[in-house]
Amino acid sequence: MIKNVHGNTVDHLGEAIVAGRFIAGAAMPPEPILGEQLGVSRTVVREAVKSLIAKGLVTTGPKVGTRVLPEAHWNWFDPDVIAWQAKAGLTPEFLRDLMDLRRVVEPAAVRLAAQRATPEDIADIEIAFEGMKRAVKEGGDYVSYDLRFHQGLLRACRNRMLIHMSKVLGALLRTSFELSTRKKGGPEGSLALHRAVLDAVIARNPAKAEKAILVLIDGAHQDIEEILASSSGLPQVNTPATRLKAA
């Protein structure tokens, strides 16, 4: 999707903040200077700053200007913030926070999905799983189907708050899937684990579904820990999604 001038300005400033080019607690340059540097009007800068305030990256006030907030204030459920962090470089703390969140949210959601999933929910998750299989066999966009699978499980729990969380978790989950996919044989090896989760949901067996999703999450966690321990360092995670080559 092509962004307009406002979106590009938000991206530029957001990336600079997340990458540490603007230090937490420090004042950002005034609107006229930022506008001149970016080649946009003061109005565009002002609206971009409002967007950054909404994302928890900056604050404004009389006589203090626009100041960068510490990471603890950032909205880590905002897809833009996640994208900026991925572009700036993943950190061990970010990845471990992500895995902790998955372990808290997904098992509970899958238990509910095993009790509440509709035939339409099951059909959508089946389509996602078939897309994953096809990508492994023929090559293609495995990550997007993997994301659709997990978001489908969250929607199938039929809880409005968790359904909303499936949207905001999208960028976080994709980051995890991008890393797992880069492990040789990772996608192929995880197919049976995904199938076990889906079969337990179809069988209306909450305990079995929860156990299966924990096996899947812990496998991804182990993959990420191996990446963290490797000497090659963390990879960059960029768009578009990594495409598998045909088997």
Side-chain angles (χ1 to χ4, degrees):
M1 182 178 68
I2 299 175
K3 294 190 176 182
N4 57 19
V5 174
H6 168 77
N8 286 330
T9 304
V10 173
D11 270 347
H12 184 93
L13 295 176
E15 288 173 13
I17 291 170
V18 173
R21 293 195 291 274
F22 293 122
I23 306 300
M28 294 178 65
E31 288 176 4
I33 295 177
L34 284 175
E36 184 177 348
Q37 290 174 346
L38 301 177
V40 299
S41 68
R42 291 180 61 177
T43 300
V44 170
V45 173
R46 190 176 303 119
E47 292 303 312
V49 168
K50 288 180 181 178
S51 295
L52 296 176
I53 291 172
K55 298 174 188 295
L57 269 65
V58 301
T59 185
T60 61
K63 299 182 180 179
V64 298
T66 301
R67 292 190 176 273
V68 177
L69 290 171
E71 289 183 16
H73 293 268
W74 299 356
N75 180 5
W76 288 105
F77 284 137
D78 188 296
D80 285 337
V81 177
I82 302 305
W84 297 333
Q85 179 64 73
K87 189 169 184 178
L90 301 173
T91 66
E93 294 77 18
F94 172 84
L95 293 173
R96 286 172 178 147
D97 284 350
L98 167 58
M99 297 314 300
D100 287 346
L101 181 65
R102 288 193 66 189
R103 223 176 185 281
V104 168
V105 173
E106 287 192 83
V110 168
R111 282 190 68 94
L112 292 175
Q115 301 170 57
R116 302 175 180 175
T118 66
E120 292 77 16
D121 292 328
I122 298 296
D124 188 60
I125 301 169
E126 286 277 16
I127 290 171
F129 181 75
E130 289 303 316
M132 293 164 67
K133 281 177 55 179
R134 190 165 56 252
V136 168
K137 183 178 180 180
E138 303 173 5
D141 186 358
Y142 179 91
V143 171
S144 293
Y145 283 112
D146 198 357
L147 180 58
R148 180 173 175 177
F149 182 96
H150 287 266
Q151 288 185 313
L153 289 171
L154 287 169
R155 287 193 298 272
C157 74
R158 293 290 149 185
N159 178 291
R160 286 173 294 181
M161 295 179 185
L162 284 173
I163 289 172
H164 179 71
M165 186 168 282
S166 77
K167 299 174 184 177
V168 299
L169 278 176
L172 288 166
L173 289 173
R174 174 164 173 185
T175 299
S176 173
F177 300 156
E178 282 278 4
L179 291 176
S180 297
T181 299
R182 294 176 186 220
K183 181 179 179 181
K184 186 176 181 180
E188 184 176 8
S190 73
L191 283 176
L193 303 181
H194 283 82
R195 187 72 241 181
V197 175
L198 180 51
D199 286 345
V201 171
I202 294 172
R204 304 293 181 186
N205 190 326
K208 193 172 182 179
E210 180 182 26
K211 183 177 180 180
I213 196 69
L214 281 170
V215 171
L216 185 57
I217 293 170
D218 288 345
H221 194 175
Q222 182 177 346
D223 290 344
I224 289 177
E225 287 294 340
E226 289 177 6
I227 292 171
L228 293 177
S230 71
S231 58
S232 59
L234 291 170
Q236 294 287 325
V237 179
N238 299 313
T239 55
T242 301
R243 297 181 66 84
L244 300 183
K245 296 181 180 178

